[in-house]
C-alpha cells in the first residue's frame, strides 16, 4: 500500500521520504517467526474485540469532561509523554548511529533539512504506532458508540508523539554535542531508562511509603489532592484533557503547538543533526594519544584475559547500560519493602529471599548470555589453544563478579532489617542460583557476532526458558523456606 | 624435510562436495601460496587446517601433530588471519593483543615487549589506546595481523592478508612474511594478487573444484602448463581454464 502511494509521488519529495520512513517503521529489525506474528495478531484482534465490547457496554454511559476525567487525561498524557520520550531517544539513536541509511540520503540530491524532517516524522511515527495499538482499540470504539468527542484522543496521541520525537532528538543531539557520539549513546540509553522508569519509581515511592492495606487509599487521596489543586483543569494543563474530550480549540492548539515545535526543531537543530551524523558516521571513538605502556594489558592467567575483555565489552555497550539502569529501576519496589522496617519481617523476609534469587538469576543469565552469545570473534576463540569449557568458566566467573554488586543488594538490606543469618543464607543460595542460571546460558547460548545479538534474543530456546524457570523456582523455594525457618523456628539473636 | 602442514585425503561437503580427496604437503620453512578461482575451496581448506571446520574424511597434521586428535597442541603453534579481521570493535589494539596473548597463555613478560614491537612496526603505536571501531579496514587488518603474530607461531596461515592495506603497508607485510620464513617459520597465504605469489612464494599450489590441480615452483608450474615463458597469470589461467575476455 505504502509502496503503491510512493509510486504516485515525486521521488525524493518530503512526503515520499516520510512514507519511506513509515514503511521502515512498520518493519522491525530482524526476522520474526510466523508463530510470534500469529500470536501478536491474535492479541491485537483480541484487544480490538475487547475495545468494541467495552464501547458497546459504555454506549449509554455519559463520559463528560469533569475534573477527575480531566486530571486523569492530564496524568495519562504525562505518563504517555515520558514513555514516548524514552522511545524517541532510542529511536533518535538508531537513526543517527545504527540505521546506516543517512550516508545514502545525504549523498542524494535532497535538501538535508528535508531528510531531517522525514527522519523526525519517522521517529514520531514509530512512537505513534506503538501507542496507537495500545490506546486506539479502546478509544475509537468508545468514540464510535456514542461518544464522538473521544475522537480527540488520536489527535492528542499524535501531538504528544511529535512533541516527544522533537524532545528525544534534541536530547540525543545535545548529548552528542556535549559528550561526543560514543558517550551520547551510553548516556542517552541511561537518560531513556530513567525517563521511562521515573513514573514507576515515583508510584512505588508513594504506595510503599504508606502502611500495609492503605496503599490504594493513599494513591487515591494523592490524586484527589491533585484534582482539588486544579491539576489538569486550569490553564495549559487543561489542554490534554480538553483535547481528549474533543474540544476543537484544544485539539487545534495541541496540533499547532506540536507542528510549530517540529518546525522549530528541524530549523534549530539542523546543524547539530548534521554534525551528529558526521560524528557518528565518521568515527565513534576519538583518537586517543597515549604515553602509557602496554604492559598492564597482559595477564598471567586465561581468566584475567577473558575477564578483562568481557568487562570492557560490557562496560562499553550502551544497550547494556540501558538494561542495567532499567533493572535497577525495577528493583525499586523491593528496595522500598526492604527498607520498611516493622514487625512483619517474618512474612516479608522469605519473599525477599525468593526475589533475591530471581534477581541474581536474571542478571547473571543476561550477562552470561551476552558474554557467550554476543561474541564478536567466535573464530578467534576456536583457533586458540584453549578448551571451550575453560573459556565458558572464565566467562561465567566474569558474569558472576559483574553481577555481584546488584545481586547483594537484597541480602544486604535483609541483614539490616531481618537477621544476619537469614541474609547470609539468602546470599549463599543467591550465589548458587546465579551460578546455575549462568550454566544454563553457557550450555544453550551459541557464540555469534555481537552486532546480531539483538535480533537473536527473540529466538531463545524453549528448553532454556523452562530450565531457567525451574532453577529460579527451585532455589527460590529453598531460599524462602530456609529464611522462614531461620526467622521463625530458631530466632537467632543476630538482628542488628 | 619436515612437514609443516600435511593434509591427506581430505573430503568436505556442505550442500555439495567442496573438497574432494585433497592431498597437500607444505614443507617447513617455506612461503606457500595457495591459489585458485573463486569457490575453489581455498578458504575451506585453510579453515580445516586451523580447526574451524571439521573435515568429513581425511587427516591433518601440523608439524607432526595430529590436529584432529590433539587440536590444542596444534593450535598452540598456529596463527590464523582470515580476510575479515577477527577483532572486537570496542577494544583498543593493546587490549586486543592482551586478550589474544591471554588465550595463547603467553606470559606478560614476553607478550608486552612483543606487543610493543608489533604495534610500532605496524604503525599502530600512536593509536594503541583508541578503540578499533573507528579504524579503517587497513588499520583493522594490521591489528589482526599483530594478534596473529603476538604468540610467535611456527605456522602462519593467512587468507588474503593484503586486503585493505595501502601499498607501503602491503610491502611491509610482504617483507615481514618473508622475514618470518627466513627465521624458520612457515607461511601459507591465499591471494588473488598473483604478482604477490609470483614474487614471494617458494612454492605455489593451485586448487580448483576441491582438489589440487598443480603444485610446485613457478618454473615447475610453467612446465606443467606447457608454456615456459608465461607469467603466473597466464599459467594460472591455462591450468584452471578460466574464461578469457576476448581482446
Amino acid at each position: 500500500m505504502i509502496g503503491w502511494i510512493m509510486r504516485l509521488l515525486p521521488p525524493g519529495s518530503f512526503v515520499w521520504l516520510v512514507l519511506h520512513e513509515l514503511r521502515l517503521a512498520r518493519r522491525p529489525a530482524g526476522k520474526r517467526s510466523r508463530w510470534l506474528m500469529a500470536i501478536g495478531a491474535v492479541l491485537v484482534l483480541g484487544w480490538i474485540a475487547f475495545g468494541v465490547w467495552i464501547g458497546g457496554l459504555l454506549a449509554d454511559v455519559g463520559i463528560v469532561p469533569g475534573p477527575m476525567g480531566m486530571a486523569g487525561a492530564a496524568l495519562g498524557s504525562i505518563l504517555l509523554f515520558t514513555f514516548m520520550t524514552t522511545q524517541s531517544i532510542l529511536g533518535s539513536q538508531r537513526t543517527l548511529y545504527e540505521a546506516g541509511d543517512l550516508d545514502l540520503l545525504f549523498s542524494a540530491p535532497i535538501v538535508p533539512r528535508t531528510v531531517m524532517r522525514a527522519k523526525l516524522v519517522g521517529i514520531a511515527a514509530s512512537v505513534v504506532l506503538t501507542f496507537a495499538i495500545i490506546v486506539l482499540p479502546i478509544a475509537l470504539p468508545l468514540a464510535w458508540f456514542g461518544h464522538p468527542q473521544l475522537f480527540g484522543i488520536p489527535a492528542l496521541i499524535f501531538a504528544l508523539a511529535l512533541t516527544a520525537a522533537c524532545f528525544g532528538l534534541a536530547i540525543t543531539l545535545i548529548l552528542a554535542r556535549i559528550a561526543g557520539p560514543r558517550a551520547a549513546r551510553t548516556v542517552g540509553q541511561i537518560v531513556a531508562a530513567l525517563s521511562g522508569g521515573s513514573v514507576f519509581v515515583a508510584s512505588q515511592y508513594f504506595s510503599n511509603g504508606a502502611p500495609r492495606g492503605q496503599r490504594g487509599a493513599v494513591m487515591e487521596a494523592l490524586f484527589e489532592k491533585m484534582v482539588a489543586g486544579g491539576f489538569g483543569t486550569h490553564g495549559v494543563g487543561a489542554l490534554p484533557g480538553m483535547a481528549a474530550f474533543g474540544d476543537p480549540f484544544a485539539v487545534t492548539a495541541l496540533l499547532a503547538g506540536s507542528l510549530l515545535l517540529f518546525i522549530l526543531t528541524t530549523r534549530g537543530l539542523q546543524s547539530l543533526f548534521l554534525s551528529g551524523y558526521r560524528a557518528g558516521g565518521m568515527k565513534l571513538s576519538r583518537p586517543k594519544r597515549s604515553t602509557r605502556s602496554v604492559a598492564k594489558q597482559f595477564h598471567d592467567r586465561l581468566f584475567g584475559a577473558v575477564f578483562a575483555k568481557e568487562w570492557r565489552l560490557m562496560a562499553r555497550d550502551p544497550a547494556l547500560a540501558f538494561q542495567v539502569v532499567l533493572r535497577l529501576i525495577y528493583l525499586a519496589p523491593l528496595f522500598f519493602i526492604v527498607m520498611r522496617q516493622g514487625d512483619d519481617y517474618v512474612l516479608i523476609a522469605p519473599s525477599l529471599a525468593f526475589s533475591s534469587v530471581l534477581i541474581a538469576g536474571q542478571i547473571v543469565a543476561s550477562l552470561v548470555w551476552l558474554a557467550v552469545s554476543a561474541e564478536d570473534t567466535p573464530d578467534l576463540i576456536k583457533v586458540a589453544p584453549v578448551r571451550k569449557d575453560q573459556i565458558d568458566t572464565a566467562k561465567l566467573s566474569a558474569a558472576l563478579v559483574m553481577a555481584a554488586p546488584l545481586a547483594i543488594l537484597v541480602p544486604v538490606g535483609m541483614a539490616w532489617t531481618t537477621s544476619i543469618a537469614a541474609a547470609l543464607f539468602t546470599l549463599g543460595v543467591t550465589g548458587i542460583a546465579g551460578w546455575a542460571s549462568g550454566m544454563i546460558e553457557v550450555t544453550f547460548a551459541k557464540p555469534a557476532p555481537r552486532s546480531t545479538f539483538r535480533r537473536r534474543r527473540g529466538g531463545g530456546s524453549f528448553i532454556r526458558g523452562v530450565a531457567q524457570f525451574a532453577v529460579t523456582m527451585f532455589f527460590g523455594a529453598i531460599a524462602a523456606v530456609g529464611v522462614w525457618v531461620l526467622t521463625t523456628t530458631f530466632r537467632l539473636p543476630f538482628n542488628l | 624435510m619436515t612437514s609443516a602442514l600435511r593434509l591427506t585425503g581430505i573430503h568436505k561437503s556442505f550442500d555439495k562436495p567442496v573438497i574432494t580427496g585433497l592431498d597437500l604437503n607444505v614443507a617447513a620453512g617455506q612461503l606457500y601460496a595457495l591459489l585458485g578461482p573463486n569457490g575453489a575451496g581455498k578458504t575451506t581448506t585453510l579453515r580445516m587446517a586451523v580447526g574451524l571446520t571439521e573435515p568429513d574424511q581425511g587427516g591433518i597434521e601440523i608439524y607432526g601433530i595430529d590436529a584432529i586428535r590433539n587440536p590444542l597442541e596444534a593450535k598452540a603453534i598456529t596463527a590464523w588471519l582470515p580476510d575479515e579481521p577477527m577483532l572486537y570493535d570496542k577494544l583498543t589494539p593493546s587490549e586486543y593483543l592482551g586478550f589474544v596473548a591471554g588465550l595463547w597463555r603467553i606470559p606478560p613478560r614476553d607478550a608486552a615487549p612483543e606487543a610493543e614491537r608489533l604495534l610500532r612496526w605496524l604503525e599502530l603505536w600512536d593509536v594503541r589506546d583508541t578503540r578499533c571501531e573507528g579504524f579503517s579496514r587497513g588499520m583493522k587488518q594490521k591489528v589482526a595481523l599483530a594478534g596473529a603474530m603476538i604468540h610467535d607461531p611456527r605456522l602462519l596461515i593467512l587468507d588474503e592478508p593484503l586486503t585493505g592495506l595501502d601499498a607501503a603497508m602491503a610491502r611491509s607485510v610482504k617483507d615481514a612474511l618473508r622475514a618470518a620464513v627466513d627465521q624458520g617459520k612457515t607461511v601459507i597465504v591465499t591471494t588473488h594478487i598473483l604478482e604477490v605469489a609470483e614474487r614471494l612464494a617458494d612454492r605455489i599450489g593451485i586448487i580448483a573444484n576441491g582438489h589440487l590441480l598443480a603444485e610446485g615452483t613457478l618454473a615447475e608450474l610453467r612446465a606443467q602448463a606447457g608454456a615456459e615463458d608465461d607469467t603466473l597469470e597466464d599459467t594460472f589461467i591455462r591450468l584452471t581454464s578460466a574464461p578469457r575476455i576476448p581482446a
Side-chain angles (χ1 to χ4, degrees), chain A residues 182 185 282-295 297-302 305-306 308-309 312-313 316-318 375-387 390-391, chain B residues 47 50-52 72 75-76 78 80 86-92 94-108 111-112 115-116 119 125-131 133-134 150:
Chain A
R182 192 175 70 205
R185 293 176 77 182
M282 298 302 286
K283 263 186 183 7
L284 279 174
S285 54
R286 295 173 182 157
K288 203 165 143 187
R289 294 189 78 85
S290 176
T291 53
R292 286 185 295 176
S293 131
V294 294
Q297 309 295 356
F298 295 87
H299 305 269
D300 279 319
R301 304 175 74 89
L302 175 68
V306 175
K309 171 238 172 192
R312 285 172 182 137
L313 291 184
R316 294 167 187 177
D317 189 332
E375 172 58 64
D376 272 332
T377 67
D379 281 358
L380 176 65
I381 308 286
K382 280 187 197 164
V383 299
V386 285
R387 296 196 313 272
Q390 291 173 313
I391 290 284
Chain B
R47 284 177 66 85
V50 296
L52 287 174
L72 297 190
K75 287 172 180 179
T78 310
W80 162 242
M86 300 186 291
L87 281 190
Y88 297 94
D89 277 351
K90 298 282 178 193
L91 293 186
T92 67
S94 59
E95 289 168 351
Y96 175 72
L97 293 183
F99 176 61
V100 177
L103 288 178
W104 264 262
R105 294 190 171 97
I106 312 297
E116 185 170 339
L119 289 169
W125 183 247
D126 288 342
V127 291
R128 65 188 182 278
D129 290 325
T130 302
R131 293 182 201 172
E133 60 194 350
I150 185 91

Side-chain angles (χ1 to χ4, degrees), chain A residues 399-445:
Chain A
L400 284 170
V401 171
M402 282 181 244
L406 288 176
I408 62 167
L409 284 178
V410 175
V412 166
M414 285 174 72
W416 188 259
T417 53
T418 58
S419 82
I420 289 178
L424 286 176
F425 183 76
T426 305
L427 188 62
V429 181
T430 299
I432 296 168
W435 173 83
S437 293
M439 282 304 292
I440 290 169
E441 293 297 321
V442 161
T443 308
F444 288 103

Side-chain angles (χ1 to χ4, degrees), chain A residues 134-196:
Chain A
I134 299 167
V135 178
L136 295 189
I138 302 291
L140 290 183
L142 274 171
W144 186 261
F145 292 115
H147 306 289
Q149 72 273 23
L150 295 183
F151 278 120
I153 289 177
L156 175 64
I157 289 179
F158 178 77
L160 285 174
L162 197 56
T163 308
C166 294
F167 270 77
L169 185 65
I171 289 169
T172 305
L173 292 176
I174 290 167
L175 280 174
R177 183 59 178 257
I178 294 169
R182 192 175 70 205
R185 293 176 77 182
T186 308
V187 178
Q189 298 269 350
I190 292 169
V191 169
L194 287 175
S195 103

